[in-house]
Amino acid sequence: KIEFDLNGILSQLLFSRILYPGSKREAFYTMSKYLETPKVELHHFYRALAVLSKESTLIQSQLYKNSQKVRPRNNRILYYDCTNFFFEIEEEDELRKYGKSKENRPNPIVQMGLFMDGDGVPLAFDLSQGSTNEQTTLKPLERKLLDDFSMSKFVVCTDAGLSSTANRKFNNIQGRAFITTQSIKKLKKHLKNWALNPTGWKLCGSHSKTEYSLEEIDQLDNNKLIFYKERWILEDELEQRLIITYSLKYKKYQEKIRERQVTRAQTIIDSGQQLKKSKNPNDVRRFIKQTHVTKNGEIADKQQIGLDEAVISKEAQYDGFYGVCTNLEDSVEKIIKVNHNRWEIEETFRIMKSEFEARPVYLSREDRIHAHFITCFVSMMMFRLLEQRLPENYTYGEIIETLREMNFYRVDGEGFIPIYTRTNLTDDLHQQSGFRTDYQIIPQKELKKIFKETKSGKITTK
């Protein structure tokens, strides 16, 4: 019953999100930048958003199915994380709620939960109210993977903020498994003492049973080596494997970060500015101590502020240590590698927010907001698939800028002349596309043939 070119509009929304991110209105008025332009009106764009929102689950499940024809999906390992997007409004509504913003913005937010496959390609997403506890968002979206994506056996990898006991138990049945970051600070006292104990460390990747002490590891002074200790624990009726790793590289990294924060804390002290209460556990003001009494115990006329050496020392004891919990019996090296690759989902969110300008969002209707994030999700999926099919490790910035510059000059009655510079990247893009546009003038007839083949799926890529 749709009387407008939905495919053409969706194409424009996706291309614009990658190349010229902006509002839906901007996407309409920049259609002339492309060789193929759908015959639609601006109001058709907004009507299309309602359709996309309604069919969100179908779109995502079909994308997963069809994408496997482009590249086999690594659905054995799944990464899950949450982020949020702010809106330039003051009042809350049913979806946009005040919550803890990742950008520390004082605006209502919408929360996005995202599953990514083991190769870094987006798999499925969902939206929730900005005030929702992110730990409760995993199971509903995972059930969609089980029901609508026909997926069953996989390993879910999350960070500590999403590793509730309920989520771990949910992925401890029916062939599913979990790998999650474990905060050492939040371990029970006897487990924390075991984790920080200076003895009993083994070298990752070595079949030797030799054990090392932290003193011996520090003397080796090798940043490439990772040491570990492990044990099975029973917590809340859930048996899981606790792995603690230690490396000099991570220790030096944490020391460097804390030194910078202590320097910033000292700058605040030296400035004499009024000390505000810290709401963020990572705020540098946690290293500042306020004293309201004199040495004799009397109330001081002025408060004394200085560095809290006790807090600094307490945090330093965790330098170099990292905790992971899992129900898998795979090698420590394999589990560490899987957990390390969580950085890709964080990079996906960063690209979505920066290069794709997914926020701030100016739409107000809930269905249009959802459709906006569908276009962001699909664009990100397309971009990741293209990125991984290219033979070289180009940066996302290089790929996007090259695509923007691949322009043509129209010669009436003859065709189109490429006016971009041929590079290794343009050669690789042409090879993956199955056609070339950089050799000579492209007759209108030939261009129409290319358009037709790209829609039919007949083009064979290498």
Side-chain angles (χ1 to χ4, degrees):
K1 297 180 180 180
I2 299 174
E3 298 177 351
F4 53 86
D5 186 356
L6 180 61
N7 180 70
I9 292 174
L10 179 56
S11 297
Q12 292 297 318
L13 290 172
L14 299 179
F15 302 156
S16 297
R17 182 55 51 190
I18 296 174
L19 300 177
Y20 307 102
S23 67
K24 308 301 172 283
R25 184 181 180 85
E26 287 179 81
F28 173 76
Y29 285 110
T30 56
M31 288 194 301
S32 59
K33 290 180 178 286
Y34 304 100
L35 293 174
E36 190 178 32
T37 304
K39 295 181 179 179
V40 293
E41 302 296 332
L42 178 58
H43 66 92
H44 291 149
F45 270 66
Y46 293 103
R47 288 174 61 189
L49 296 180
V51 178
L52 296 175
S53 175
K54 184 179 179 181
E55 303 297 342
S56 175
T57 300
L58 174 64
I59 290 171
Q60 293 182 56
S61 60
Q62 285 299 115
L63 273 171
Y64 168 68
K65 178 182 177 182
N66 295 339
S67 66
Q68 298 194 75
K69 300 174 184 177
V70 178
R71 177 186 175 89
R73 301 296 296 270
N74 180 3
N75 55 16
R76 170 60 181 161
I77 305 294
L78 304 184
Y79 295 91
Y80 182 76
D81 204 353
C82 283
T83 192
N84 48 56
F85 299 83
F86 67 87
F87 290 73
E88 294 286 5
I89 59 172
E90 298 297 331
E91 298 294 328
E92 294 181 317
D93 57 25
E94 287 300 312
L95 179 62
R96 300 172 291 180
K97 298 284 188 182
Y98 282 107
K100 188 176 180 181
S101 171
K102 302 289 185 180
E103 287 94 2
N104 297 316
R105 298 284 300 233
N107 305 89
I109 56 176
V110 162
Q111 191 160 250
M112 172 190 277
L114 176 70
F115 266 110
M116 184 185 78
D117 71 17
D119 292 328
V121 181
L123 183 67
F125 84 97
D126 203 0
L127 298 181
S128 57
Q129 295 176 339
S131 58
T132 304
N133 181 345
E134 63 180 17
Q135 291 188 353
T136 64
T137 64
L138 185 146
K139 288 198 285 185
L141 186 54
E142 190 171 331
R143 288 193 181 98
K144 286 188 178 182
L145 298 183
L146 298 171
D147 298 337
D148 300 314
F149 289 59
S150 300
M151 297 175 65
S152 55
K153 297 181 180 181
F154 46 78
V155 179
V156 175
C157 186
T158 67
D159 65 11
L162 292 157
S163 60
S164 66
T165 300
N167 288 341
R168 297 186 198 194
K169 287 183 176 180
F170 186 67
N171 284 304
N172 192 44
I173 57 175
Q174 299 174 349
R176 300 194 298 278
F178 65 85
I179 298 175
T180 184
T181 305
Q182 172 63 53
S183 171
I184 299 176
K185 296 178 182 179
K186 295 181 180 180
L187 287 173
K188 291 182 178 179
K189 185 177 180 179
H190 72 283
L191 291 176
K192 187 188 297 183
N193 291 337
W194 167 82
L196 300 179
N197 190 296
T199 61
W201 296 90
K202 297 179 181 178
L203 177 62
C204 277
S206 173
H207 297 292
S208 172
K209 295 183 179 180
T210 303
E211 294 187 352
Y212 300 80
S213 68
L214 293 181
E215 183 179 356
E216 291 172 328
I217 295 172
D218 290 344
Q219 288 176 351
L220 291 174
D221 196 24
N222 191 326
N223 288 340
K224 295 182 180 180
L225 300 180
I226 298 176
F227 296 82
Y228 75 95
K229 59 172 63 174
E230 61 175 327
R231 63 183 290 177
W232 284 87
I233 61 176
L234 184 63
E235 296 281 340
D236 298 319
E237 300 180 349
L238 174 65
E239 191 174 12
Q240 51 191 319
R241 185 177 169 202
L242 174 61
I243 301 171
I244 306 296
T245 65
Y246 177 82
S247 74
L248 285 177
K249 182 178 180 180
Y250 190 48
K251 179 181 180 181
K252 292 175 181 178
Y253 167 77
Q254 289 179 302
E255 287 176 342
K256 191 173 182 179
I257 294 296
R258 189 173 54 260
E259 285 173 5
R260 291 176 181 173
Q261 292 181 331
V262 170
T263 300
R264 286 163 55 197
Q266 186 64 56
T267 301
I268 294 174
I269 294 171
D270 295 340
S271 69
Q273 61 181 276
Q274 186 177 0
L275 193 64
K276 298 179 181 178
K277 188 175 180 180
S278 172
K279 295 182 180 180
N280 188 334
N282 295 318
D283 195 304
V284 299
R285 286 172 289 184
R286 72 188 186 278
F287 294 133
I288 300 176
K289 178 174 64 175
Q290 300 182 68
T291 304
H292 299 276
V293 295
T294 65
K295 293 181 179 180
N296 298 324
E298 299 175 352
I299 299 176
D301 295 331
K302 295 182 180 180
Q303 68 175 15
Q304 303 291 321
I305 62 173
L307 291 176
D308 194 330
E309 297 296 341
V311 173
I312 296 173
S313 178
K314 185 176 180 181
E315 288 200 14
Q317 69 176 325
Y318 297 101
D319 289 350
F321 298 93
Y322 193 88
V324 174
C325 270
T326 182
N327 57 347
L328 293 171
E329 298 184 9
D330 297 54
S331 69
V332 172
E333 295 79 19
K334 186 175 181 180
I335 290 170
I336 291 173
K337 183 179 180 181
V338 170
N339 184 67
H340 175 73
N341 289 339
R342 281 193 305 104
W343 68 269
E344 291 206 60
I345 195 167
E346 295 171 359
E347 184 186 63
T348 295
F349 283 141
R350 182 169 55 82
I351 295 174
M352 199 178 290
K353 290 184 175 183
S354 57
E355 294 295 322
F356 289 4
E357 297 183 14
R359 55 80 171 115
V361 187
Y362 296 98
L363 298 165
S364 56
R365 278 178 39 177
E366 187 170 329
D367 58 345
R368 292 179 178 179
I369 292 171
H370 201 112
H372 165 73
F373 287 109
I374 290 173
T375 61
C376 293
F377 168 81
V378 180
S379 299
M380 196 69 233
M381 182 178 177
M382 289 168 52
F383 183 78
R384 283 296 196 195
L385 288 170
L386 171 61
E387 183 182 41
Q388 294 191 2
R389 286 170 64 94
L390 295 173
E392 302 293 334
N393 291 323
Y394 300 105
T395 67
Y396 63 86
E398 289 173 332
I399 297 172
I400 291 175
E401 190 58 35
T402 297
L403 289 170
R404 284 176 183 158
E405 293 178 353
M406 294 181 73
N407 295 313
F408 299 84
Y409 179 73
R410 185 195 301 268
V411 180
D412 291 337
E414 294 189 36
F416 298 85
I417 301 175
I419 56 173
Y420 56 91
T421 302
R422 181 181 173 185
T423 65
N424 289 337
L425 178 50
T426 62
D427 284 347
D428 290 339
L429 288 168
H430 283 124
Q431 185 176 19
Q432 289 303 317
S433 301
F435 58 83
R436 303 201 73 94
T437 59
D438 57 344
Y439 284 158
Q440 56 190 0
I441 190 168
I442 308 169
Q444 184 71 39
K445 185 177 180 180
E446 179 66 22
L447 193 62
K448 288 183 178 179
K449 181 181 177 182
I450 291 175
F451 288 153
K452 184 177 180 180
E453 289 178 339
T454 57
K455 292 181 177 63
S456 66
K458 294 180 181 179
I459 286 181
T460 301
T461 61
K462 298 180 181 179

